[in-house]
Amino acid sequence: MRSKLELIFKVHYQELCLLAKAYVNDMSEAEDIVQDVFVKLLLKNNLADVDFLEFYVKRSIKNECLKRLRDRKTLISIEGELIAEENFLVRKDAELTVEKKNSKLLAEVNKLPVQCRKVFLMCIVEELTYQNVADKLEISVNTVKSQVKKAYKVLREALGETILKGLIVAYLYIF
């Protein structure tokens, strides 16, 4: 039986590789599959019971190809799930970071003197002009400007320049 198997390997190797390539679409992998199948068949002791050895070899190659395709599909599916989970965790981490920074920004804004905080929130959050804020609070435009400047200075010292800009933009975008 071993000699029949060796003869099939020598005579039909290219044909069997093309058969495998039709399934896996990669000649290198197809050659590996054909060789693996022949090694497994050589190690089997019960091949004497097989009537049509050439067809048995072809069926074995086809089954191995399908098995590898199934395994590859499973692996791709698992990798896709892992990537999706990783992206979810990164988004959640970023959201938590922004939430922490926003809460820190709000805490620092709440530490501002009452008049300064009121002017700052009206100008930045409500997006009112200095003139509108001055009219509503019955104070001068210069007072509004100085209160906003003071608020920025205090917040910049507490949070840092870059963080402050990012947080204000994020805060305005979220709310």
Side-chain angles (χ1 to χ4, degrees):
M1 191 53 60
R2 184 179 178 106
S3 60
K4 276 185 168 181
L5 203 55
E6 288 174 3
L7 182 65
I8 292 171
F9 183 82
K10 289 176 183 174
V11 173
H12 297 286
Y13 179 76
Q14 284 299 105
E15 175 190 341
L16 296 172
C17 287
L18 291 174
L19 171 69
K21 184 182 182 292
Y23 287 98
V24 296
N25 204 23
D26 178 12
M27 192 56 160
S28 177
E29 186 176 5
E31 290 172 351
D32 288 345
I33 290 171
V34 171
Q35 291 167 11
D36 288 347
V37 166
F38 273 96
V39 168
K40 288 178 187 174
L41 292 176
L42 285 171
L43 295 175
K44 278 191 171 185
N45 293 329
N46 59 354
L47 283 180
D49 299 338
V50 177
D51 292 328
F52 300 100
L53 189 59
E54 186 178 334
F55 295 111
Y56 185 80
V57 168
K58 288 180 179 178
R59 177 63 64 154
S60 298
I61 289 172
K62 176 186 173 187
N63 289 340
E64 183 65 23
C65 289
L66 294 175
K67 179 181 171 229
R68 290 197 187 190
L69 288 172
R70 184 188 66 235
D71 292 346
R72 186 186 309 163
K73 186 177 178 182
T74 303
L75 180 63
I76 289 170
S77 175
I78 290 170
E79 287 174 350
E81 289 174 16
L82 289 175
I83 289 170
E85 185 176 327
E86 184 178 311
N87 288 341
F88 174 77
L89 293 174
V90 167
R91 277 195 314 274
K92 285 298 177 190
D93 188 41
E95 289 173 10
L96 288 174
T97 303
V98 169
E99 282 182 31
K100 286 180 185 176
K101 289 179 179 178
N102 278 340
S103 64
K104 186 171 183 172
L105 173 65
L106 291 174
E108 292 300 323
V109 167
N110 286 331
K111 290 180 185 177
L112 293 171
V114 176
Q115 182 73 7
C116 184
R117 180 176 56 236
K118 186 183 278 188
V119 169
F120 181 76
L121 291 175
M122 290 174 81
C123 289
I124 303 305
V125 177
E126 295 177 27
E127 298 179 335
L128 298 175
T129 64
Y130 289 164
Q131 185 63 54
N132 287 345
V133 173
D135 291 342
K136 283 188 174 190
L137 297 178
E138 298 178 354
I139 55 176
S140 73
V141 173
N142 284 338
T143 303
V144 172
K145 288 179 184 178
S146 67
Q147 292 295 316
V148 170
K149 184 177 178 181
K150 179 180 177 182
Y152 271 124
K153 181 180 178 191
V154 170
L155 292 173
R156 198 174 297 118
E157 289 171 358
L159 301 171
E161 180 75 32
T162 307
I163 294 173
L164 177 63
K165 287 180 182 177
L167 287 176
I168 289 175
V169 168
Y171 185 82
L172 292 173
Y173 180 74
I174 293 170
F175 300 102

